[in-house]
Structure formats: structure tokens, C-alpha cells
Amino acid sequence: MNITDLKREDIAQIVSLKNTDKRFMERLMDLGIYESAKVTLLNKLAYSNLYLIEVDDIEICLRKEDAVNIEVRK
Amino acid sequence: MIYLLAGNPNVGKSTFFNFMTLSHVHVGNYSGVTVEKRVHHIKHYEGANLVDLPGTYNVSPSSEDEGIVTYSLLNESYSGIVNIIDSTHLRRNLHLTLQLLELGVPTLLVFNLRDALRSNGYVIDIDKISKRLKSNSICVSARERNNEDRINISEKLKNLRVYKSIELDYHPHIKWGLQRIHDLLRYDSLKVKKKWLALQILEGNEGIYKFIDIVKEEKIREVVKEVEERIIKDEVALSLKGAIFNTRREFINDVVDDCLIQVEDKEHSKYFNQKIDRILTHPGWGIPIFFAIMLAVYQISFGKFLGVGALLTTYFEFIWEQILVYNLGILLEFLGVTGFAYGLIIDGIMAGVGGILIFLPQIVVLFFMLALLEGTGYMARVAIVMDRFLSKFGFNGKSIVPMITGLGCTVPAIMATRTIIDKKERMLTILTIPFISCSARLPIYVIFISLFFDRYRAVIMLGIYLLGIIVTLASAKIFSLSFFKGGGSKFLLEVPPYRMPQLRTITYQALEKAKRFIKKAGTYILLGSIILWLLSNIGISGININPEDSFLSNIAGFISPVFIPLGFGDWQATSSLISGFLAKEVVVSSLNILYVGDIASGFTTLSALTYIVFASLYIPCISTVATIKSETGSKKWTLFSMVYPFMVAYLVALIVRLIFSIFI
């Protein structure tokens, strides 16, 4: 499953970022989004096209097409 | 003594910087890079300066701005580092801290936002964290501007020394790589520790190769590649950087669990944030709310209804015209200054500078309101709301922030595009933003509307702003389909919590803008007014001539036929547009000087309309062009940024003329 499969306020652990490109992955890493990090889905915005997630107390907004590439496990 | 101030973005770094230094502003440049370098003297510490580095998550650069951190650590001479940390986001902030501590130079850790952390129900055990991180630490709240904190920090800086530098237990593959690179660096003479450099190289810090000429660069790159392959093959992590990141994160988690103490159980404010977010970023309501807020900002700054700015301008105008200019005129007559000199002072300088200076209150109010919006954290929500809409035109949701800034001034707007990571999207934003009507262009509209369209004030004003936005979007679409095809289109936005903006900071920002505006009036506009008046009053036959025989008339007369199709082909209108390249405010100053206070005589209703349309879109001012040059680093695109708007302005003005010639 990936981030888009989560429900609001679900907490999950990131399993893999395999499908994201390298540069974007580094950017995610800067914000603390990486394997084994805990992520909370706070909100789905703009008709579920944007996902607001929380990692280490930071709120981050990303697009659906990128959220799909972040595989998680509940 | 020089100390570098480093920290993540949005952690109150600027607040801390202003708090520690108070005065003695010095702005310079980093050699080789054209990014502003802020250096101030530290209060309570004689002879010590603080250098403000750009906010960064990482020592390795992922944007041009962040390259400066690597550059400074490698090449600047400094006595120590001050690392400012957002106490409410320790886990993320400490990644940068670890990289700085690994460097092994004297470092002071400033845990900022003590008050915010406390209201979340937590405190930091400062002694414990100092021990764990082997460094000097202090917990403060820079917002409170407590003088005792300031003295304590200065004292700590005076006694700053290196403890044993921190060493993490990285994976054996990484350790192997570190040793290999360390050996290969023996041919280089370096200012920093080789071990640190080796680790940065392994992490993929390209800035190192850029800023230092490493003898064995090729060999080192091979080692990095090999380590990366081993890491992936043995499934240690997804990448080499990831493996290093994981080790650091484990260490950080351990430190945070150990040193962050919960003293009170409080419901986290993020759920409150979510409730507001759901309204402000609502797919249906979000955009109308945004427009309503922007309209309110405009009404308060420029409108008649709620118009604080416009009201202040009325007073300002009265003081300038009725008191200052009037009495100066009497004084000059009393001193026996007449004719040419009198004209230069009253009709040249005072008319030119005054015509613009009276807009100062409105512009200050606008900047105040924009700073207020930014201070609340609302801008990030606007980026969310607008992302889908803007991405259709090749923009990024983040482009909205420079766009809104562009309503104030194009120069900071272009600088604000640095947050857009994708190069194509950034270029697209830089090249199209000058079409957004900046506050300098506003006086042009105001003057013409009051002369020709007073009954349709709101409609024309709204129309001209909408036109700017439409041209921006259309140009972006064209560019994204041609020059900048296939932009990365990634949107990754850190959403800050809602904050109560600080009146002090906002007022400071607005007053800074006011200072710049006055400075511009005293330099560009003053000079422009003098030159313009002289050129329009001197000709081949000498002074005191018919303006039609002046030098300016001759020069502008060459070009003015170009504008005949647009309806304003006289030399005065042409001269005002040429002088507008200096600064858009000069357009109004020139019109005042050249039509000797009677602008209405030079235009018809239709040509007034095409004139404001043209003036709102044509070539950006010289400061904007210079900023585009330094931000894009490309002569080609800088030239383009001047030619393209001219063509677009001409075309749009022509269309407007054709359409409105039916009605007017």
C-alpha cells in the first residue's frame, strides 16, 4: 500500500521509496521522509489530489502522483 | 572574530540574527556568487561579527542558495559556528547540526523557540543534550528579545571551544570509503578536516568539487561509486546518502528520546490547524477566499473604501504641494532665483520627485499587508490551493508566492523563486513574473484613471491587474510548451503552522521597503527628473526654447512614430516610456514634467487606455533586468526578458485599441 491508501489520521511506516527519482528522494530525505520513518496522513486536499502528511512533527504537502510512490505499512 | 549562523529554513534564523545584532547593517556579496551576504556586529561582544547563511536542511547543496553554506564552511575564515535549532522540530533540525558538529570547529547550539516548545508541553534537558552532542548549548526564545539571553549567548561565544568532535558509527562500507577518500585527499592542502570532507563527498556534496580543486577527483568519484554499489547490493539502504542518513537518524532519535522531556500533556495544535486548513484550502472555497483576502489587501492599501493608504496619501500630497512646494517657491522668488533655475527646481525636481513620493504611504501599507499575510503562514495554504490551477500553465503551486510578492515589487519576487527546485519551472516563473503589475506601475494607472475614467475606476483597475495575470499565465503556457518543455513538475511543500505574526517584524519589513522607496526617489527618480527636465528645456539653440525644439523632443521624435498605431505617438509620451526603464515610477514623474502638469492635454480617452495597457506590460525596469541577469546567469534570457515584454505589450495594446475604438 502507499500513502494514498491511508485514511485521515492513519499512522504508518514508510517501507520503500523505490519508484521516486533520485533528486526527489534526496529532497524528501531533507524533510525527514525516508524508509522506516513514521508518517501520519493529516489531510487530503484539493479533491484528493494533494496529500498533507506529517513526519517528525513537520507537515508536508505533496501531489498524488508522488504520494503513490511512497510505499507504507500500517 | 567571525561566526557563521547556520540553520534550517523557517526556524526563526532572521529573528535571531536581528536579536543578536540590533544594528550595524552591512550587506556584501559572497565572492563568485551573487547572493546577498548579511554581516552584522554582535551586541555585547566587541569585535565579533555574525554572518547570516541561507537556511538549509543539509550542508550539501540542492539549490544555488544552499551551495553557499558549503562554500562558506570551506573557504571563509571564521572562529566558530552558531547553529540555530527549532526546538519544536528537533528530529529534523539535528541532521544539519550533526553535519556541522562532525566538522569539529567550535560550535554553539542555540535551541530556539523555547516558548513554543513549552506550550506544546515539552522542555529540553540542556545539560544532557550538551553532553550527548559534545558541544555548548543554550535554550532561548529569540522572539521574546530578552536581553539576558543576549548576554548569555555572547558570553558563551566568547568562551567557545572545540570539544572532541562527534563521530558516529557508520556502516562498515562507509567507513571503508571514508578511509580510502581520506588517503586520496593527502595531495590537497585543506582548511577543513579531511575526514569531514570525505564524509561530505560520500554524501554526494557536489559543492566540494566546485569550490576546491581536488587533485584525485576522478579516483575519489570511483570510490564513491563503489561504496554506493556495495550499499545497494547488500541492501543496507536505497542509496549511499540514505545509509548515512539512517545512521544519523538513529543517533538523533536516541538523543531526542533521552533529552526531550514531556512536562505536561497537551493536545497538539496540529488538529486545530487541520480544521482551519480544511476551510482555507477547500477545493471550492479556497480560491474565492484567497481572492477576497487579496481584494481586502488592495482596498486597504489603495481603495477608497477602507482605504488607509489612500487617506494617508491625501495628507501627504497636501503637505508636499501646499506647504513644501508652495513655500519653496516663495523662498526661491525671495532669493531672486527665477527662470531656468526656478523651472529646474520647481517643475523638474519637485514635480518629478513629488509626483512619486506622494504614493509612499499606499506602498508602505501594501508591503505591510503582504508581510502580514506571509507572517501568518497563509501563503503556504495559497500554494496548496493554487497548485492544481497553476500546474495547468506550467507553474508550480509555489509560484504563487513570488506572484503575490510581485504585486509589491518584481525584484524580491524574482528572488523568491529560489524556493522552486525545478529549474524549468523556476525560469518560467522568473520570465513571466514581470507582467504582474508591481506597485511602481500603480501611480500610472491612478493618474490616468482619475483624468479619464474616474467613473469606471474599479473596473479599469481590476481589468489592468487581470490583464497582467492573464498575460503571465498565457506566456507561461507558451513557454512550457516551447522553451521549457517537460518541466519536473514536483510539488513538495513544507506547511508551517499558523502563527500570530509579530507586529515588530512586519513593521520592520514595511519600513525597510519605505526606506528603499525613499532612496529610489532620492537617486533614480531625482536624477531622472533632472536629466529629463534639462533635456526637454535645452536644445541646439540654447536654453529657454520651445519644448518642440529640445534635445529630448529630437531624440524621442525618432522613436515616437513606432507608437502612432497605438495612439500616443508624441515625443512626450515616448520619452516617459523610455525613462520608465530607469524605474517605473519615473514614468509618472516624466509625464508631470513633460506635459508641465497637464497630462490630459496629451491624450484622448482611447490613447490613455492603450498607454496604460502598454505601460503595464512593457520592458521591466533596470533593477528587475539586473536581478534576472544575476538569478538566471544567462545573457540570452536577460535579453529575452526585455524584448518579449515589449512585443507582448505592443500587441496587447494594439488589440485593446482595436476593440475599444468601437466603444470609445
Side-chain angles (χ1 to χ4, degrees):
Chain A
M1 69 192 298
N2 61 54
I3 287 198
T4 60
D5 300 319
L6 296 176
K7 281 197 222 61
R8 213 172 261 158
E9 287 176 28
D10 271 357
I11 299 172
Q13 192 167 35
I14 296 176
V15 184
S16 160
L17 298 164
K18 267 183 190 152
N19 295 323
T20 53
D21 68 72
K22 200 179 167 199
R23 217 169 135 61
F24 191 62
M25 199 200 287
E26 284 178 6
R27 209 63 210 176
L28 289 172
M29 220 186 283
D30 281 346
L31 294 169
I33 304 174
Y34 202 58
E35 289 163 282
S36 82
K38 272 207 182 94
V39 45
T40 313
L41 180 70
L42 291 177
N43 224 338
K44 297 180 185 182
L45 302 166
Y47 297 116
S48 296
N49 278 295
L50 291 172
Y51 287 77
L52 188 66
I53 59 170
E54 187 204 305
V55 177
D56 293 344
D57 269 351
I58 307 155
E59 292 172 22
I60 297 145
C61 187
L62 38 83
R63 284 184 187 157
K64 189 178 186 172
E65 64 248 41
D66 297 316
V68 172
N69 289 331
I70 302 178
E71 286 176 35
V72 295
R73 177 177 57 212
K74 264 204 210 175
Chain B
M1 301 289 257
I2 291 170
Y3 295 91
L4 304 178
L5 177 63
N8 284 191
N10 288 321
V11 296
K13 205 157 64 67
S14 294
T15 312
F16 178 77
F17 187 74
N18 295 337
F19 164 67
M20 281 310 289
T21 53
L22 289 177
S23 55
H24 300 293
V25 187
H26 170 79
V27 177
N29 267 317
Y30 293 93
S31 48
V33 240
T34 40
V35 174
E36 237 176 43
K37 173 185 187 178
R38 296 210 303 159
V39 187
H40 293 215
H41 171 68
I42 302 174
K43 185 90 178 156
H44 302 302
Y45 189 175
E46 202 56 48
N49 284 307
L50 199 59
V51 178
D52 195 11
L53 298 179
T56 176
Y57 297 113
N58 227 312
V59 171
S60 339
S62 51
S63 75
E64 275 164 56
D65 233 30
E66 294 171 18
I68 294 181
V69 176
T70 299
Y71 174 83
S72 304
L73 291 175
L74 292 175
N75 294 334
E76 297 262 324
S77 50
Y78 49 92
S79 327
I81 299 170
V82 180
N83 175 211
I84 181 142
I85 296 159
D86 174 358
S87 302
T88 59
H89 294 124
L90 279 181
R91 282 176 218 271
R92 198 242 342 233
N93 275 248
L94 289 177
H95 277 277
L96 177 68
T97 306
L98 283 184
Q99 293 180 53
L100 295 172
L101 290 176
E102 282 169 336
L103 186 61
V105 298
T107 302
L108 176 66
L109 306 182
V110 178
F111 292 91
N112 193 23
L113 299 174
R114 177 181 54 197
D115 51 341
L117 183 71
R118 182 64 189 80
S119 58
N120 288 350
Y122 290 91
V123 290
I124 294 172
D125 184 339
I126 199 79
D127 292 331
K128 207 171 206 175
I129 209 161
S130 297
K131 267 189 206 127
R132 291 292 310 261
L133 298 174
K134 297 177 184 165
S135 60
N136 294 286
S137 323
I138 187 167
C139 218
V140 297
S141 185
R143 274 197 295 207
E144 288 169 7
R145 303 178 71 85
N146 186 337
N147 199 41
E148 210 173 294
D149 281 342
R150 198 183 281 131
I151 294 169
N152 283 338
I153 293 169
S154 301
E155 283 308 313
K156 288 226 177 227
L157 280 179
K158 284 176 197 166
N159 301 314
L160 206 58
R161 59 189 180 86
V162 202
Y163 291 73
K164 199 169 168 294
S165 67
I166 207 158
E167 277 184 29
L168 301 190
D169 190 20
Y170 290 107
H171 190 272
H173 289 341
I174 294 171
K175 281 185 182 161
W176 175 83
L178 282 176
Q179 193 55 49
R180 290 278 296 136
I181 295 172
H182 190 273
D183 292 345
L184 288 166
L185 285 171
R186 68 176 177 273
Y187 306 99
D188 302 283
S189 69
L190 298 165
K191 275 191 194 169
V192 294
K193 262 176 60 182
K194 285 199 174 90
K195 198 156 188 188
W196 180 82
L197 207 62
L199 190 58
Q200 282 295 318
I201 288 174
L202 278 180
E203 234 184 292
N205 187 343
E206 283 294 321
I208 306 244
Y209 303 116
K210 199 170 140 195
F211 301 127
I212 318 179
D213 228 357
I214 291 171
V215 182
K216 297 277 179 189
E217 181 176 332
E218 239 170 82
K219 278 253 162 63
I220 289 175
R221 282 188 189 273
E222 278 167 26
V223 175
V224 175
K225 211 173 152 222
E226 196 181 333
V227 178
E228 173 116 45
E229 280 165 4
R230 287 189 192 190
I231 295 273
I232 294 169
K233 191 172 141 257
D234 293 349
E235 293 186 353
V236 179
L238 288 177
S239 66
L240 174 51
K241 191 175 172 164
I244 296 173
F245 181 88
N246 278 343
T247 307
R248 288 196 186 127
R249 192 180 53 194
E250 272 166 36
F251 178 78
I252 289 168
N253 282 341
D254 194 41
V255 170
V256 172
D257 289 342
D258 209 15
C259 306
L260 192 66
I261 300 155
Q262 189 171 23
V263 286
E264 206 178 328
D265 197 12
K266 288 212 173 176
E267 199 207 351
H268 208 285
S269 62
K270 70 188 172 204
Y271 295 109
F272 174 66
N273 270 350
Q274 292 321 307
K275 278 180 202 150
I276 309 179
D277 271 355
R278 246 166 259 166
I279 301 167
L280 290 183
T281 65
H282 187 276
W285 292 112
I287 293 179
I289 290 173
F290 168 59
F291 281 112
I293 289 176
M294 287 319 289
L295 206 66
V297 167
Y298 256 70
Q299 272 300 330
I300 292 170
S301 315
F302 305 115
K304 278 184 174 161
F305 176 65
L306 293 175
V308 182
L311 187 73
L312 289 172
T313 291
T314 320
Y315 288 122
F316 214 68
E317 197 175 0
F318 178 81
I319 294 171
W320 182 272
E321 292 286 338
Q322 305 298 320
I323 301 178
L324 216 67
V325 177
Y326 179 76
N327 286 311
L328 186 68
I330 293 176
L331 182 73
L332 288 175
E333 277 168 25
F334 176 74
L335 293 173
V337 180
T338 50
F340 191 76
Y342 182 89
L344 175 64
I345 294 169
I346 297 291
D347 300 328
I349 295 171
M350 292 307 273
V353 175
I356 269 314
L357 217 50
I358 54 163
F359 288 95
L360 176 68
Q362 299 188 9
I363 285 161
V364 172
V365 173
L366 173 70
F367 278 113
F368 183 86
M369 302 295 291
L370 291 179
L372 192 73
L373 272 191
E374 201 157 340
T376 55
Y378 178 62
M379 290 293 207
R381 275 74 189 183
V382 180
I384 292 174
V385 169
M386 299 300 281
D387 181 57
R388 268 195 91 202
F389 176 73
L390 288 178
S391 62
K392 292 193 178 111
F393 296 93
F395 281 121
N396 190 298
K398 285 183 183 178
S399 306
I400 195 72
V401 178
M403 279 174 167
I404 295 171
T405 315
L407 292 171
C409 177
T410 316
V411 171
I414 288 170
M415 289 179 176
T417 60
R418 285 182 196 155
T419 56
I420 301 168
I421 306 154
D422 185 77
K423 238 187 157 150
K424 286 176 180 172
E425 282 176 342
R426 183 165 175 233
M427 282 297 282
L428 198 87
T429 313
I430 289 177
L431 291 174
T432 51
I433 258 180
F435 288 125
I436 303 267
S437 268
C438 68
S439 60
R441 277 167 258 186
L442 190 92
I444 309 174
Y445 316 149
V446 174
I447 298 271
F448 278 94
I449 286 173
S450 63
L451 288 176
F452 293 96
F453 319 98
D454 208 29
R455 276 179 59 201
Y456 307 101
R457 179 178 273 266
V459 182
I460 301 271
M461 204 58 140
L462 194 70
I464 207 93
Y465 274 94
L466 275 180
L467 183 71
I469 294 166
I470 291 167
V471 173
T472 307
L473 294 176
S475 300
K477 188 74 195 169
I478 295 168
F479 294 169
S480 72
L481 292 175
S482 51
F483 311 125
F484 304 111
K485 228 173 174 172
S489 205
K490 291 271 184 241
F491 180 70
L492 187 64
L493 179 78
E494 197 190 334
V495 186
Y498 290 104
R499 277 187 203 143
M500 197 61 192
Q502 275 198 292
L503 195 64
R504 190 202 312 268
T505 322
I506 294 167
T507 315
Y508 175 81
Q509 284 176 7
L511 289 180
E512 271 303 290
K513 294 279 159 40
K515 254 199 260 171
R516 272 195 195 184
F517 187 83
I518 293 171
K519 208 174 145 197
K520 211 166 164 190
T523 50
Y524 281 108
I525 298 169
L526 177 67
L527 197 73
S529 299
I530 294 174
I531 293 174
L532 214 72
W533 193 86
L534 288 177
L535 281 179
S536 64
N537 281 278
I538 304 175
I540 298 170
S541 42
I543 58 167
N544 293 328
I545 42 138
N546 192 341
E548 299 298 322
D549 304 322
S550 67
F551 282 129
L552 190 64
S553 164
N554 295 336
I555 301 165
F558 259 128
I559 309 165
S560 57
V562 175
F563 296 112
I564 290 173
L566 301 183
F568 47 87
D570 64 356
W571 65 274
Q572 290 98 326
T574 307
S575 315
S576 66
L577 290 172
I578 297 171
S579 62
F581 181 56
L582 215 56
K584 290 290 159 76
E585 291 95 336
V586 182
V587 172
V588 168
S589 303
S590 319
L591 291 170
N592 276 330
I593 294 168
L594 297 175
Y595 290 108
V596 205
D598 186 16
I599 298 173
S601 66
F603 294 87
T604 64
T605 312
L606 187 59
S607 72
L609 187 67
T610 51
Y611 183 85
I612 50 176
V613 167
F614 186 83
S616 76
L617 298 173
Y618 85 119
I619 307 175
C621 70
I622 193 163
S623 321
T624 302
V625 173
T627 313
I628 292 176
K629 171 81 179 53
S630 71
E631 292 291 314
T632 62
S634 154
K635 277 187 192 139
K636 190 183 97 185
W637 288 116
T638 311
L639 190 67
F640 180 82
S641 76
M642 293 161 73
V643 176
Y644 178 76
F646 184 87
M647 295 187 334
V648 169
Y650 198 91
L651 192 70
V652 174
L654 199 62
I655 294 170
V656 167
R657 184 174 163 82
L658 289 177
I659 293 173
F660 282 87
S661 61
I662 305 167
F663 307 105
I664 304 175

